[in-house]
CSV table of all heavy atoms in Angstrom, one decimal:
chain,number,residue,atom,x,y,z
A,7,ILE,N,-4.7,-6.5,12.3
A,7,ILE,CA,-5.4,-5.4,11.6
A,7,ILE,C,-5.3,-5.6,10.1
A,7,ILE,O,-6.2,-5.4,9.4
A,7,ILE,CB,-4.8,-4.0,12.1
A,7,ILE,CG1,-5.2,-3.8,13.5
A,7,ILE,CG2,-5.3,-2.9,11.1
A,7,ILE,CD1,-4.5,-2.5,14.1
A,8,ARG,N,-4.1,-6.0,9.7
A,8,ARG,CA,-3.9,-6.3,8.2
A,8,ARG,C,-4.8,-7.4,7.8
A,8,ARG,O,-5.4,-7.3,6.7
A,8,ARG,CB,-2.4,-6.6,8.0
A,8,ARG,CG,-2.1,-6.7,6.5
A,8,ARG,CD,-0.7,-7.1,6.2
A,8,ARG,NE,0.2,-6.3,7.0
A,8,ARG,CZ,1.5,-6.8,7.2
A,8,ARG,NH1,1.9,-7.9,6.8
A,8,ARG,NH2,2.3,-6.1,8.0
A,9,ALA,N,-4.9,-8.5,8.5
A,9,ALA,CA,-5.8,-9.6,8.2
A,9,ALA,C,-7.3,-9.1,8.1
A,9,ALA,O,-8.0,-9.5,7.2
A,9,ALA,CB,-5.6,-10.7,9.1
A,10,MET,N,-7.7,-8.3,9.1
A,10,MET,CA,-9.1,-7.9,9.1
A,10,MET,C,-9.3,-7.0,7.9
A,10,MET,O,-10.4,-7.1,7.2
A,10,MET,CB,-9.4,-7.1,10.4
A,10,MET,CG,-10.8,-6.7,10.5
A,10,MET,SD,-11.2,-5.7,11.9
A,10,MET,CE,-10.4,-4.2,11.5
A,11,SER,N,-8.4,-6.1,7.6
A,11,SER,CA,-8.6,-5.2,6.4
A,11,SER,C,-8.6,-6.0,5.1
A,11,SER,O,-9.3,-5.6,4.2
A,11,SER,CB,-7.5,-4.1,6.4
A,11,SER,OG,-6.3,-4.6,6.2
A,12,ASP,N,-7.8,-7.0,5.0
A,12,ASP,CA,-7.8,-7.8,3.8
A,12,ASP,C,-9.2,-8.4,3.6
A,12,ASP,O,-9.7,-8.5,2.5
A,12,ASP,CB,-6.8,-9.0,3.9
A,12,ASP,CG,-5.3,-8.5,3.7
A,12,ASP,OD1,-5.2,-7.4,3.2
A,12,ASP,OD2,-4.4,-9.3,4.0
A,13,GLY,N,-9.8,-8.9,4.7
A,13,GLY,CA,-11.2,-9.4,4.6
A,13,GLY,C,-12.1,-8.3,4.1
A,13,GLY,O,-13.0,-8.6,3.3
A,14,MET,N,-12.0,-7.1,4.6
A,14,MET,CA,-12.9,-6.0,4.2
A,14,MET,C,-12.7,-5.7,2.8
A,14,MET,O,-13.7,-5.5,2.0
A,14,MET,CB,-12.7,-4.8,5.1
A,14,MET,CG,-13.2,-5.1,6.5
A,14,MET,SD,-13.3,-3.6,7.6
A,14,MET,CE,-11.6,-3.1,7.6
A,15,PHE,N,-11.5,-5.6,2.3
A,15,PHE,CA,-11.2,-5.3,0.9
A,15,PHE,C,-11.8,-6.5,0.0
A,15,PHE,O,-12.4,-6.2,-1.0
A,15,PHE,CB,-9.7,-5.2,0.6
A,15,PHE,CG,-9.2,-3.8,1.0
A,15,PHE,CD1,-8.3,-3.7,2.1
A,15,PHE,CD2,-9.7,-2.6,0.4
A,15,PHE,CE1,-7.8,-2.5,2.5
A,15,PHE,CE2,-9.2,-1.4,0.8
A,15,PHE,CZ,-8.3,-1.3,1.8
A,16,ALA,N,-11.7,-7.7,0.5
A,16,ALA,CA,-12.2,-8.8,-0.3
A,16,ALA,C,-13.8,-8.7,-0.4
A,16,ALA,O,-14.4,-9.0,-1.4
A,16,ALA,CB,-11.8,-10.2,0.3
A,17,ILE,N,-14.4,-8.3,0.7
A,17,ILE,CA,-15.9,-8.1,0.7
A,17,ILE,C,-16.3,-7.0,-0.3
A,17,ILE,O,-17.2,-7.2,-1.0
A,17,ILE,CB,-16.4,-7.9,2.1
A,17,ILE,CG1,-16.3,-9.2,2.9
A,17,ILE,CG2,-17.8,-7.4,2.1
A,17,ILE,CD1,-16.5,-9.0,4.4
A,18,LEU,N,-15.5,-5.9,-0.2
A,18,LEU,CA,-15.8,-4.8,-1.2
A,18,LEU,C,-15.7,-5.2,-2.6
A,18,LEU,O,-16.6,-4.9,-3.4
A,18,LEU,CB,-14.9,-3.6,-0.9
A,18,LEU,CG,-15.1,-2.8,0.4
A,18,LEU,CD1,-14.0,-1.8,0.6
A,18,LEU,CD2,-16.4,-2.1,0.3
A,19,ILE,N,-14.7,-6.0,-3.0
A,19,ILE,CA,-14.5,-6.4,-4.3
A,19,ILE,C,-15.6,-7.4,-4.7
A,19,ILE,O,-16.2,-7.4,-5.8
A,19,ILE,CB,-13.1,-7.0,-4.6
A,19,ILE,CG1,-12.1,-5.8,-4.5
A,19,ILE,CG2,-13.0,-7.7,-5.9
A,19,ILE,CD1,-10.7,-6.2,-4.5
A,20,THR,N,-16.0,-8.3,-3.8
A,20,THR,CA,-17.1,-9.2,-4.0
A,20,THR,C,-18.4,-8.5,-4.2
A,20,THR,O,-19.2,-8.8,-5.1
A,20,THR,CB,-17.3,-10.2,-2.8
A,20,THR,OG1,-16.0,-10.9,-2.7
A,20,THR,CG2,-18.4,-11.2,-3.1
A,21,ILE,N,-18.7,-7.4,-3.5
A,21,ILE,CA,-19.9,-6.7,-3.7
A,21,ILE,C,-19.9,-6.0,-5.1
A,21,ILE,O,-21.0,-5.9,-5.7
A,21,ILE,CB,-20.1,-5.6,-2.6
A,21,ILE,CG1,-20.4,-6.3,-1.2
A,21,ILE,CG2,-21.1,-4.6,-2.9
A,21,ILE,CD1,-20.4,-5.4,0.0
A,22,LEU,N,-18.8,-5.6,-5.6
A,22,LEU,CA,-18.7,-5.0,-6.9
A,22,LEU,C,-19.2,-6.1,-7.9
A,22,LEU,O,-19.9,-5.8,-8.9
A,22,LEU,CB,-17.3,-4.6,-7.3
A,22,LEU,CG,-16.8,-3.3,-6.6
A,22,LEU,CD1,-15.3,-3.1,-7.0
A,22,LEU,CD2,-17.6,-2.1,-7.1
A,23,VAL,N,-18.7,-7.3,-7.8
A,23,VAL,CA,-19.0,-8.4,-8.8
A,23,VAL,C,-20.5,-8.7,-8.7
A,23,VAL,O,-21.1,-9.1,-9.7
A,23,VAL,CB,-18.1,-9.6,-8.5
A,23,VAL,CG1,-18.6,-10.7,-9.4
A,23,VAL,CG2,-16.7,-9.2,-8.8
A,24,LEU,N,-21.1,-8.7,-7.5
A,24,LEU,CA,-22.5,-9.1,-7.4
A,24,LEU,C,-23.5,-8.1,-8.1
A,24,LEU,O,-24.6,-8.5,-8.4
A,24,LEU,CB,-22.9,-9.1,-5.9
A,24,LEU,CG,-22.3,-10.2,-5.1
A,24,LEU,CD1,-22.7,-10.0,-3.6
A,24,LEU,CD2,-22.7,-11.5,-5.6
A,25,ASP,N,-23.0,-7.0,-8.5
A,25,ASP,CA,-23.8,-6.0,-9.3
A,25,ASP,C,-23.9,-6.4,-10.8
A,25,ASP,O,-24.7,-5.8,-11.5
A,25,ASP,CB,-23.3,-4.6,-9.1
A,25,ASP,CG,-24.3,-3.6,-9.6
A,25,ASP,OD1,-25.5,-3.8,-9.3
A,25,ASP,OD2,-23.9,-2.6,-10.1
A,26,PHE,N,-23.1,-7.3,-11.2
A,26,PHE,CA,-23.2,-7.7,-12.6
A,26,PHE,C,-24.5,-8.4,-12.9
A,26,PHE,O,-25.0,-9.3,-12.2
A,26,PHE,CB,-22.1,-8.7,-13.0
A,26,PHE,CG,-20.7,-8.0,-13.2
A,26,PHE,CD1,-19.6,-8.8,-13.2
A,26,PHE,CD2,-20.6,-6.7,-13.4
A,26,PHE,CE1,-18.4,-8.2,-13.4
A,26,PHE,CE2,-19.4,-6.1,-13.5
A,26,PHE,CZ,-18.3,-6.9,-13.6
A,27,LYS,N,-25.1,-8.0,-14.0
A,27,LYS,CA,-26.4,-8.6,-14.5
A,27,LYS,C,-26.2,-9.1,-16.0
A,27,LYS,O,-25.5,-8.4,-16.7
A,27,LYS,CB,-27.5,-7.6,-14.5
A,27,LYS,CG,-27.8,-6.9,-13.2
A,27,LYS,CD,-28.5,-7.8,-12.2
A,27,LYS,CE,-29.0,-7.2,-11.0
A,27,LYS,NZ,-28.0,-7.0,-10.0
A,28,LEU,N,-26.7,-10.2,-16.3
A,28,LEU,CA,-26.7,-10.7,-17.6
A,28,LEU,C,-27.6,-9.9,-18.5
A,28,LEU,O,-28.8,-9.9,-18.2
A,28,LEU,CB,-27.0,-12.2,-17.7
A,28,LEU,CG,-26.9,-12.9,-19.0
A,28,LEU,CD1,-25.4,-12.9,-19.5
A,28,LEU,CD2,-27.3,-14.3,-18.9
A,29,PRO,N,-27.2,-9.3,-19.6
A,29,PRO,CA,-28.1,-8.5,-20.4
A,29,PRO,C,-29.0,-9.4,-21.2
A,29,PRO,O,-28.7,-10.5,-21.5
A,29,PRO,CB,-27.1,-7.7,-21.3
A,29,PRO,CG,-25.9,-8.5,-21.4
A,29,PRO,CD,-25.8,-9.2,-20.1
A,30,GLU,N,-30.1,-8.8,-21.6
A,30,GLU,CA,-31.0,-9.5,-22.5
A,30,GLU,C,-30.4,-9.5,-23.9
A,30,GLU,O,-29.9,-8.4,-24.4
A,30,GLU,CB,-32.4,-8.9,-22.5
A,30,GLU,CG,-33.0,-8.9,-21.2
A,30,GLU,CD,-34.5,-9.0,-21.3
A,30,GLU,OE1,-35.0,-9.2,-22.4
A,30,GLU,OE2,-35.2,-8.9,-20.3
A,31,TYR,N,-30.3,-10.6,-24.6
A,31,TYR,CA,-29.7,-10.7,-25.9
A,31,TYR,C,-30.3,-11.8,-26.7
A,31,TYR,O,-31.0,-12.7,-26.2
A,31,TYR,CB,-28.2,-11.0,-25.7
A,31,TYR,CG,-27.9,-12.4,-25.1
A,31,TYR,CD1,-27.7,-13.5,-25.9
A,31,TYR,CD2,-28.0,-12.6,-23.8
A,31,TYR,CE1,-27.4,-14.7,-25.4
A,31,TYR,CE2,-27.7,-13.9,-23.2
A,31,TYR,CZ,-27.5,-14.9,-24.1
A,31,TYR,OH,-27.2,-16.2,-23.5
A,32,ARG,N,-30.1,-11.7,-28.0
A,32,ARG,CA,-30.5,-12.7,-28.9
A,32,ARG,C,-29.4,-13.7,-29.1
A,32,ARG,O,-28.2,-13.4,-28.9
A,32,ARG,CB,-30.9,-12.1,-30.3
A,32,ARG,CG,-32.1,-11.2,-30.3
A,32,ARG,CD,-32.5,-10.8,-31.7
A,32,ARG,NE,-31.5,-10.7,-32.6
A,32,ARG,CZ,-31.0,-9.5,-33.1
A,32,ARG,NH1,-31.5,-8.4,-32.7
A,32,ARG,NH2,-30.0,-9.5,-34.0
A,33,VAL,N,-29.7,-14.9,-29.4
A,33,VAL,CA,-28.7,-16.0,-29.6
A,33,VAL,C,-27.7,-15.5,-30.7
A,33,VAL,O,-28.1,-15.1,-31.7
A,33,VAL,CB,-29.4,-17.3,-30.0
A,33,VAL,CG1,-28.3,-18.3,-30.3
A,33,VAL,CG2,-30.3,-17.8,-29.0
Side-chain angles (χ1 to χ4, degrees):
I7 292 172
R8 188 181 314 157
M10 185 184 73
S11 65
D12 284 348
M14 289 190 300
F15 282 114
I17 290 169
L18 286 172
I19 290 173
T20 302
I21 289 171
L22 285 175
V23 173
L24 291 177
D25 194 38
F26 282 166
K27 305 281 188 282
L28 185 63
E30 299 214 6
Y31 67 95
R32 293 189 329 253
V33 175

